[in-house]
């Protein structure tokens, strides 16, 4: 009904954090990460926000397709009836939260894997530099 | 069907991204777009399966057609979003060159 709103909210928060990190702080962090062969945290946050935005937009389209989201106030058809509203809130609390949690877990896995790959590549590069 | 079509789109985009020569096509955007949607639809499918059990795997023909049509529309929308972002970012400078030529 409106499960995508939970991920969209998380996307707004993650994007704000990513933008709030600032260019200078991000550059300093990237330089430090380059030295330690790590993926910069700002890039990692961009992965998460891209997945959340992408998923939210495409799911919002699905809701428009099914007539659950309309281009006029209150935009969500479930808001017209109190019974539907409580069902919508329940769906957001269960399906919506599960979607946001799974995307975040996948992202954590991606970050750990990327760091492991960067470490492996970094180790190889250091060996080649020494040799 | 929507989940299946989106997963195929995500896998195809990821294979294209892996075989890319440079980042000028911004294929990463397309990968994240489709994977994000796939994960979200997977959760939706799990909840639906819990509710419907085995019936989930035997949908009506009309539902299959509608879901397939939706899946293809989602893939098309994803491609349009990616293309608009690519043209705005213009990493190869093609749009700028075309605009300069016309000016």
């Amino acid at each position: 009904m409106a499960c995508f709103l939970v991920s969209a909210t998380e996307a707004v928060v993650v994007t704000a954090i990513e933008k709030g990190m600032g260019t200078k702080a991000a550059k300093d962090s990237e330089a430090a990460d380059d030295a330690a062969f790590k993926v910069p945290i700002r890039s990692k946050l961009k992965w998460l926000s891209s997945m959340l935005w992408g998923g939210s937009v495409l799911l919002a389209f699905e809701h428009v397709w099914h007539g659950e989201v309309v281009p006029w106030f209150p935009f969500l058809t479930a808001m017209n009836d109190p019974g539907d509203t409580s069902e919508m809130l329940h769906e957001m609390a269960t399906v919506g939260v599960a979607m946001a949690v799974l995307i975040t877990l996948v992202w954590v896995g991606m970050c750990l894997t990327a760091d492991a790959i960067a470490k492996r590549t970094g180790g190889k590069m250091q060996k080649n530099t020494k040799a | 069907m929507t989940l299946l079509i989106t997963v195929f789109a995500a896998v195809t985009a990821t294979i294209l991204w892996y075989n890319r020569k440079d980042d000028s096509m911004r294929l990463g955007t397309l990968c994240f777009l489709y994977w994000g949607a796939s994960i979200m639809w997977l959760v939706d499918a799990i909840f639906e399966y819990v509710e419907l059990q085995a019936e989930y795997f035997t949908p009506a023909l009309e539902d299959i057609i509608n879901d397939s049509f939706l899946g293809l529309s989602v893939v098309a929308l994803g491609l349009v979003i990616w293309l608009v972002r690519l043209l705005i970012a213009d990493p190869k400078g093609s749009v700028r060159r075309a605009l300069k030529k016309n000016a």
Side-chain angles (χ1 to χ4, degrees), chain B residues 8 21 26 35 42 59 66 71 74 77 90:
Chain B
F8 274 118
K21 288 191 174 71
R26 304 274 170 106
W35 278 121
L42 174 70
N66 187 36
V74 161
L77 178 65
D90 193 23

Side-chain angles (χ1 to χ4, degrees), chain B residues 44-57:
Chain B
D44 211 25
I46 291 168
F47 273 87
E48 215 174 317
Y49 172 73
V50 169
E51 198 182 306
L52 301 173
Q53 299 290 322
E55 205 185 312
Y56 175 77
F57 297 106

